[in-house]
Amino acid sequence: MPGFTIHIAVAKEYAKKHPKEIRDVDEFIKGSIAPDNISLENSNIDKNITHYGKWGKGETQTYIDAFLKDAKVDMQSDYWKGYFMHLLTDHCFYNICFRKELEEEQRTHHGFYYDYDCLNKELLKKYHIEIMENIKKYMSCTEGKPRYLNIDKVIKFIDNMSNINLEEQEELIKQKGMEGIK
């Protein structure tokens, strides 16, 4: 999972670029961190459930088509739009944009968390992110050089994710399954 800071930056930028679509930015941001936050706050809820997929031990699969079929999901709600954005962000991060970095991380087993901590300070400042109290303990800022992630590539990723059209992505996934993700 990309760190909370990346998810919040994507959500904030998306809301800024799509003001007619996102009515309640706070709810959208809450949804954008929910899949990670739910499993961290309640250890009885597995990340595989909150992410509609298979996570851990080298697996980074999210089945967003299953999410869209879930009866509790209301894509008219900004919270659920944010949740959808989170799943899309995870999928694109691990399976498209940062695939090589993930492969290297899996060979060395150091994890991305150190990198997120190294990038947080700059991302918090760039995207004017105020750290929410309930996730503060997961958003450390460390001085150092990331092992795998390049700040410019992460910023480009955030920009690209915030430019997508959620409604279009929803329709493509409903029609084509996971192959519909661009």
Side-chain angles (χ1 to χ4, degrees), residues 27-132:
E27 280 300 301
F28 185 67
I29 291 171
K30 284 180 190 172
S32 77
I33 63 168
D36 294 336
N37 198 35
I38 291 168
S39 58
L40 288 171
E41 286 183 348
N42 185 342
S43 60
N44 294 324
I45 301 175
D46 191 86
K47 188 174 178 177
N48 292 324
I49 293 169
T50 64
H51 283 73
Y52 294 81
K54 296 178 183 175
W55 287 85
K57 297 180 184 169
E59 294 199 76
T60 57
Q61 286 304 129
T62 300
Y63 302 110
I64 303 170
D65 46 350
F67 164 79
L68 292 171
K69 292 175 186 171
D70 190 329
K72 73 177 175 255
V73 173
D74 174 9
M75 287 301 289
Q76 298 305 307
S77 157
D78 289 327
Y79 173 86
W80 288 109
K81 288 177 187 176
Y83 204 113
F84 181 53
M85 177 58 85
H86 178 105
L87 299 178
L88 283 171
T89 300
D90 278 359
H91 177 79
C92 292
F93 188 90
Y94 285 118
N95 298 298
I96 299 170
C97 296
F98 293 93
R99 187 80 198 138
K100 289 179 184 174
E101 292 86 344
L102 176 63
E103 289 169 0
E104 178 63 23
E105 181 277 325
Q106 289 174 338
R107 277 193 294 279
T108 61
H109 304 289
H110 286 121
F112 281 139
Y113 297 101
Y114 174 78
D115 284 20
Y116 299 148
D117 291 348
C118 292
L119 299 173
N120 277 345
K121 185 176 181 180
E122 188 167 344
L123 294 175
L124 289 167
K125 183 178 178 183
K126 178 172 180 52
Y127 296 103
H128 310 286
I129 296 172
E130 293 181 32
I131 301 174
M132 299 168 356

Side-chain angles (χ1 to χ4, degrees), residues 1-25:
M1 69 180 168
F4 281 119
T5 308
I6 294 171
H7 280 295
I8 295 169
V10 168
K12 284 187 71 163
E13 289 298 296
Y14 188 88
K16 185 169 41 171
K17 293 175 182 178
H18 302 87
K20 292 180 181 175
E21 181 184 347
I22 305 302
R23 296 174 307 280
D24 188 333
V25 176

